[in-house]
Amino acid sequence: MSARYLAFFGTVLMALLALPAILLAQGFAGLGSDAQGFSVPQRGTTLSFPRDHGAHPDFRIEWWYVTANLATEDGRPLGAQWTLFRSALAPQDQAGWSSRQIWIGHAAVTTADHHYVAERLARGGVGQAGVVTSPFEAWIDDWHMTSSSAGGIDPMAQIDLHATGQDFGYQLALTATKPFVLQGDRGYSVKSQAGQASYYYSQPFYEVKGTVSLGGLLVKVLGKAWLDREWSSQPLASDQTGWDWFSLHLASGEKVMAFRLRDSGEGYTSANWISADGQTTPLSSGDVTFEPLRSAKVNGKDIPVAWRVKIASKGLDITTKPLNDNAWMATSTPYWEGPISFDGSASGVGYLEMTGY
């Protein structure tokens, strides 16, 4: 191996080994640390597409995040996740082998009795991972999120997802039936009483078809998916220790995004009610309440896996149930993420992500 390759891999290894210390600096995953020369979101900024489907290297952290509620031809439910994270180690990037961009990929498939997880790590600047907008593609190694949209259509209106891990893999085709949804105030999403924020938009109206491989057995699947795009440099306050985040597909065709950010006090909550035709009603902190109903021992931790979620102004009062209690993402920064179902004043399916436990 040449000296150049040795130097490169040594630099990557040092950066990746430093990540845990960086991630634990302030708030969950270091997301409460000072922005330190990075760009920060500004209220009133107009998001522009397809430009904002791409990377924002002047911001410290961002992600391309898809969760899918699927079912096999014989009706068995399962979930799939595909995520690409970009994290900048310094405000000013450098070209090629000296890039300060770290890329992390997460993929998972969840069934009623198993949770399959894989992680990929890469350094930016050398083509191993990245995002381009024309035509759109996000990738890390051989995992891909690729536009299949025809010319003149938003490149994220139709995308193909591919990932593989030990004993699992999937190839999914996603087709949007409605436009994107801007979260918060036209894409400016506040995350704390102190005003920390991110740019945040979603595509909750994907219909999905494709195949999932489990233990060498290939099965056809259909379902619904939700894309989240978010970027910031200090999205959390320094005392926020994690979050509980829900994406909900109501049987009525309506959608709900809701989260609680935990801190030393009452926490910060927010939600967005999305009508079946794509119209949004942002709900401020306090309009949504979360009550953990049941915990399970997961990876040696007590994790609240069943919840009551209420949005009084919309008459929503539901109880959620996980497909699999043990949907633990045993990655470099571990968290719980898995498909859920719910009933009560409304029924449907969705995804729950919980960090910081």
Side-chain angles (χ1 to χ4, degrees), residues 291-348:
E291 178 187 356
L293 299 178
R294 180 177 66 86
S295 292
K297 188 68 72 173
V298 183
N299 197 46
K301 304 173 184 292
D302 290 320
I303 306 294
V305 295
W307 292 76
R308 184 181 184 186
V309 180
K310 296 177 63 176
I311 300 177
S313 63
K314 294 295 184 179
L316 185 75
D317 187 349
I318 59 172
T319 298
T320 73
K321 179 176 67 175
L323 177 61
N324 186 332
D325 284 358
N326 295 297
W328 185 251
M329 298 294 294
T331 50
S332 52
T333 300
Y335 55 101
W336 194 102
E337 174 127 32
I340 59 174
S341 59
F342 55 90
D343 55 24
S345 66
S347 62

Side-chain angles (χ1 to χ4, degrees), residues 43-78:
R43 189 185 294 272
T45 298
T46 300
L47 301 188
S48 176
F49 304 105
R51 182 195 67 194
D52 282 325
H53 296 324
H56 302 81
D58 50 326
F59 289 82
R60 183 163 53 188
I61 181 74
E62 71 180 312
W63 48 77
W64 296 254
Y65 212 123
V66 175
T67 52
N69 292 95
L70 306 170
T72 62
E73 290 181 303
D74 59 359
R76 288 175 294 149
L78 54 85

Side-chain angles (χ1 to χ4, degrees), residues 157 175-181 202-206 253 255 274-279:
T175 301
T177 61
K178 299 288 188 301
F180 282 98
V181 169
S202 303
Q203 176 48 275
F205 291 102
Y206 279 127
K255 316 286 184 178
I274 306 163
S275 68
D277 64 359
Q279 300 301 308

Side-chain angles (χ1 to χ4, degrees), residues 161-185:
L161 288 182
H162 168 73
T164 58
Q166 185 175 355
D167 296 326
F168 82 96
Y170 52 77
Q171 185 74 47
L172 304 175
L174 282 61
T175 301
T177 61
K178 299 288 188 301
F180 282 98
V181 169
L182 300 181
Q183 302 287 6
D185 180 6

Side-chain angles (χ1 to χ4, degrees), residues 22-46:
I22 295 168
L23 296 176
L24 294 174
Q26 292 186 44
F28 174 75
L31 298 178
S33 302
D34 187 88
Q36 300 175 349
F38 290 98
S39 297
V40 295
Q42 302 294 324
R43 189 185 294 272
T45 298
T46 300

